[in-house]
Amino acid sequence: MGTVFSFAVRDPGPGTEAALRRITARLHEIDAVFSPYRADSDISRLDRGELTVERCHPDVPEVLARCRELSAETAGYFTDRPAGRLDPSGWVKGWAVEEASRLLRAAGSADHCVSGGGDVQTAGGPWRVGIADPLRPGALAATVTGHDLAVATSGTAERGPHIIDPHTGRPATGLASLTLVGRHLAHTDALATAAFAMGRERALAFATHHPAVEALAIDPTGTRHPTPAFPRS
């Protein structure tokens, strides 16, 4: 997936090491199926018309269905075809992190943290999660503390203006970063991508009225705009 995954397990048991091996294999499988950077992935082959959905890995139709639901939930700001190419990465990365946490829970861990590309799913806690400042490399803009958190940030700090507003076809530049805090990272991360594409005012209105998330938006001047119940610590 072009990123780094890390695991912190506070309650390791006899099955933890084996579980981490299974999780690593599962993450490689997800990458092999969904990476838009691999010419032989199911997603790349589906995009080129070499496969039908029915002949893809069983995860593919499920992921594409979730993407359709998110598009409806966000008035089209979430898309699995950014720049016109099939690419469900906006759902897949957060889903992969949450899947790793689910597998750790199944192995008996109730107190752990999984991070993928800076997005975090925790179990148990309390866990304290830092939010990078998009305008000051190496600095934190805020921290959040809690139990069973999902924390996802979309922004321009690492990759520049790469999130496309699907309604205009142009990169979204109204925010420097947008962090959403929820419970389930697949959904939270996808909403963060979609809301970032909305721009500051629409993103904050969306997050304020969404029952599953709270938000911290940072605009290009560095001004911070939290939703009323954003759980800062």
Side-chain angles (χ1 to χ4, degrees), residues 7 57 96 132 151 176 190:
F7 306 86
H57 187 283
V151 183

Side-chain angles (χ1 to χ4, degrees), residues 157-172:
E158 294 189 7
R159 297 174 58 191
H162 67 286
I163 298 175
I164 304 298
D165 177 346
H167 296 295
T168 67
R170 296 191 296 271

Side-chain angles (χ1 to χ4, degrees), residues 52-138:
T52 63
V53 171
E54 293 75 18
R55 293 180 60 199
C56 288
H57 187 283
D59 285 337
V60 171
E62 179 70 17
V63 164
L64 295 181
R66 298 291 79 75
C67 289
R68 289 192 296 271
E69 292 171 0
L70 280 156
S71 179
E73 182 179 356
T74 61
Y77 278 96
F78 183 91
T79 178
D80 59 8
R81 286 192 171 273
R85 180 185 177 191
L86 182 60
D87 179 3
S89 300
W91 168 266
V92 169
K93 188 181 75 169
W95 168 65
V97 175
E98 192 174 342
E99 175 80 349
S101 176
R102 184 189 67 79
L103 291 171
L104 276 172
R105 283 182 182 270
S109 172
D111 198 4
H112 60 258
C113 174
V114 182
S115 175
D119 296 329
V120 173
Q121 177 75 60
T122 74
W127 289 89
R128 194 163 184 255
V129 180
I131 298 170
D133 189 318
L135 304 177
R136 296 185 300 150

Side-chain angles (χ1 to χ4, degrees), residues 2-219:
T3 191
V4 175
F5 282 68
S6 63
F7 306 86
V9 182
R10 286 177 173 166
D11 56 351
T16 301
E17 187 174 345
L20 288 172
R21 287 196 296 268
R22 291 194 299 273
I23 289 166
T24 300
R26 174 64 169 144
L27 292 174
H28 282 294
E29 178 186 45
I30 291 171
D31 184 60
V33 172
F34 290 101
S35 174
Y37 305 107
R38 297 176 59 148
D40 62 344
S41 72
D42 283 24
I43 283 297
S44 293
R45 296 181 65 202
L46 180 62
D47 190 41
R48 294 194 301 266
E50 298 171 5
L51 282 180
T52 63
V53 171
E54 293 75 18
R55 293 180 60 199
C56 288
H57 187 283
D59 285 337
V60 171
E62 179 70 17
V63 164
L64 295 181
R66 298 291 79 75
C67 289
R68 289 192 296 271
E69 292 171 0
L70 280 156
S71 179
E73 182 179 356
T74 61
Y77 278 96
F78 183 91
T79 178
D80 59 8
R81 286 192 171 273
R85 180 185 177 191
L86 182 60
D87 179 3
S89 300
W91 168 266
V92 169
K93 188 181 75 169
W95 168 65
V97 175
E98 192 174 342
E99 175 80 349
S101 176
R102 184 189 67 79
L103 291 171
L104 276 172
R105 283 182 182 270
S109 172
D111 198 4
H112 60 258
C113 174
V114 182
S115 175
D119 296 329
V120 173
Q121 177 75 60
T122 74
W127 289 89
R128 194 163 184 255
V129 180
I131 298 170
D133 189 318
L135 304 177
R136 296 185 300 150
L140 293 179
T143 58
V144 295
T145 301
H147 295 72
D148 301 315
L149 295 175
V151 183
T153 298
S154 291
T156 60
E158 294 189 7
R159 297 174 58 191
H162 67 286
I163 298 175
I164 304 298
D165 177 346
H167 296 295
T168 67
R170 296 191 296 271
T173 57
L175 290 169
S177 73
L178 177 69
T179 297
L180 296 189
V181 179
R183 293 297 177 189
H184 303 285
L185 189 60
H187 192 217
T188 302
D189 188 30
L191 292 182
T193 301
F196 186 92
M198 296 176 184
R200 190 190 78 188
E201 292 185 6
R202 191 185 294 267
L204 284 170
F206 176 82
T208 297
H209 293 96
H210 199 290
V213 296
E214 295 293 337
L216 174 64
I218 302 177
D219 67 27

